[in-house]
Amino acid sequence: MGRLSDFKDIRISTGQSVSIVNFAGRSSRSYALGNDASTLHKFGKYTVLLTTEGTSINGNMTDFSGTANGAAYTWICTDCSTFYWTKLRFDRFSTVSNKAFVSFQGQTPTHKREKLIRYDLTTVTDSYFPQVMPSNVLTLNVYSTRVEFYFNNIINGSSWRKPYIGRKGYIFAPNLWTSAANDFNYEFRDDSQLYNFTMNVIKASFPASSDKMTLKIGSGAGTPAVNNTYPRDLFSSQKVISNGNYMQVGLSASVAADVRLSFEMQKVNPASTVGILIAFALAIFYVL
């Protein structure tokens, strides 16, 4: 067939042939990516970019195509398996529609994975970041806007695990992003102060008897105020709210398990605790 440099015209595959790319030599910094052309035609622009472990990247992504599906950007980390998205800001002066959005899905458009996260112009704030995305390949769909972004592929993920007042975010079963072991264990902890943690179970499907998810919220090394195991506690606690200086959530599940969570961290409100104590005291008084 020849070298890659010999090809001047790129042709769309008819689906009736197979192309084999062989990179000569023992090592190569070249990569080949194949997409089903039918999944790309709907985008006004499609861009593929590479990154590596330990890097931080910022820049802008745009869509001024005027097409119904906007632009798509596929990011590939060649030697890591996790993206930490730390900033996403819409340029309001360059946004051509109040319906502007950016959505995230695992892998390439050809994989046709579900768009798991969508940030809209009118609702997204810095409080949604950092956000973990456990995949070596991500595709972003940008619609009718220019967005400034910042992400890193730093392996320790310490910023992801750090709580702060007002923080919001999402957690998904890894297999919804990519073909990987369907488990995680995240602990958000700050021993210097208390938080009001909220965990919402958007969806939880555990088809195998061995599938299990755990949720703990507490303070220090004592017994957690919340110590739930799912699916056992699913119907009684689809939304869990509790005070503590840590929240720990873990999943160990089969590839078919589907778990989607959202969380929020707010300042502890002493008045809410007082209200509970008053109600309890009145109940005792009434019984007496």
Side-chain angles (χ1 to χ4, degrees), residues 129 183 217:
F129 304 99
D183 55 65
I217 302 174

Side-chain angles (χ1 to χ4, degrees), residues 58-122:
N58 69 295
N60 294 281
M61 293 177 289
T62 61
D63 169 51
F64 301 127
S65 65
T67 59
N69 295 289
Y73 292 79
T74 293
W75 285 93
I76 302 173
C77 184
T78 60
D79 58 355
C80 70
S81 59
T82 305
F83 284 79
Y84 296 98
W85 219 266
T86 56
K87 179 190 291 186
L88 188 73
R89 292 180 179 172
F90 289 83
D91 182 347
R92 294 180 180 271
F93 295 103
S94 300
T95 297
V96 297
S97 170
N98 60 4
K99 296 181 180 179
F101 67 84
V102 178
S103 64
F104 290 76
Q105 69 185 79
Q107 302 297 291
T108 71
T110 294
H111 292 83
K112 299 179 180 178
R113 287 188 175 268
E114 183 180 349
K115 294 177 173 64
L116 295 176
I117 299 178
R118 170 171 162 154
Y119 298 113
D120 294 294
L121 167 70
T122 56

Side-chain angles (χ1 to χ4, degrees), residues 1 3-13 19:
M1 292 177 61
R3 296 179 177 273
L4 289 177
S5 59
D6 296 334
F7 290 87
K8 305 300 182 183
D9 298 319
I10 302 299
R11 299 181 181 180
I12 297 174
S13 171
S19 298

Side-chain angles (χ1 to χ4, degrees), residues 201 228-241:
V201 181
N228 290 351
T229 299
Y230 303 88
R232 183 195 66 195
D233 297 318
L234 181 60
F235 296 104
S236 62
S237 54
Q238 289 183 318
K239 182 175 184 178
V240 179
I241 303 174

Side-chain angles (χ1 to χ4, degrees), residues 196-233:
N196 182 253
F197 291 106
T198 299
M199 180 66 77
N200 292 290
V201 181
I202 301 171
K203 181 178 181 180
S205 173
F206 303 101
S209 59
S210 59
D211 293 343
K212 183 175 71 172
M213 184 178 78
T214 58
L215 173 64
K216 297 180 181 180
I217 302 174
S219 300
T223 302
V226 173
N227 191 0
N228 290 351
T229 299
Y230 303 88
R232 183 195 66 195
D233 297 318

